[in-house]
Amino acid sequence: MDDMFMNVKTGFLKRTILFSGLRNYYLMHSKMFSTMLFTYEDNNGKFKRWSMSGQPHNEQVQLLNAELEKRFPGKSLNNLSQKEAFKIMKKMNRILLAATLVPIIFLIAVGIIALIIMFS
């Protein structure tokens, strides 16, 4: 991060977000991970969304949030509820949906396997 832009990376994907185009950011916590969500305009003026995740209360995510709070307090949505922040960011809550569905699918799969083993 420097005075003009920040590079954010999720897995192998990397984005450069110009601070002049940053609209909002929001730090979301769940039991499984912390996620930083961004909305911004790219170099062509096109509206974009980006998110980066880490383990719960990941130090890098926390440091990034603290730095953004210092530099751009007016663009933070951290004072809002998740529902209000997502409404502003116009972002579906796919992250929490996935966090809910994955354990359910896992339990169903384990149950099916247990039934197969039991009746074999």
Side-chain angles (χ1 to χ4, degrees):
M1 183 183 316
D2 70 13
D3 292 335
M4 303 283 291
F5 63 92
M6 67 178 163
N7 290 313
V8 290
K9 185 177 176 186
T10 302
F12 295 111
L13 302 173
K14 182 177 164 184
R15 291 270 170 102
T16 298
I17 299 175
L18 297 173
F19 290 131
S20 60
L22 182 65
R23 286 188 182 179
N24 303 105
Y25 60 92
Y26 179 68
L27 180 59
M28 181 177 73
H29 297 289
S30 74
K31 291 180 183 177
M32 298 175 76
F33 47 83
S34 294
T35 302
M36 187 71 134
L37 307 166
F38 305 94
T39 56
Y40 65 98
E41 288 182 27
D42 67 7
N43 293 336
N44 301 320
K46 193 171 180 182
F47 181 75
K48 300 277 187 170
R49 296 178 187 100
W50 186 257
S51 65
M52 58 179 279
S53 297
Q55 294 177 344
H57 306 289
N58 179 292
E59 185 179 350
Q60 289 179 326
V61 175
Q62 298 296 328
L63 290 171
L64 175 59
N65 183 60
E67 184 65 26
L68 289 172
E69 288 280 350
K70 248 187 350 189
R71 290 186 186 198
F72 309 103
K75 296 183 181 194
S76 172
L77 300 178
N78 292 333
N79 60 326
L80 302 176
S81 71
Q82 182 176 317
K83 184 177 179 179
E84 293 170 317
F86 276 47
K87 187 175 181 181
I88 290 171
M89 296 178 96
K90 296 179 181 147
K91 178 172 178 64
M92 289 180 51
N93 195 349
R94 289 175 269 164
I95 297 163
L96 282 183
L97 179 62
T100 303
L101 288 178
V102 168
I104 291 170
I105 292 169
F106 177 76
L107 289 174
I108 291 170
V110 168
I112 291 171
I113 292 169
L115 288 173
I116 291 170
I117 291 171
M118 209 165 59
F119 292 109
S120 298

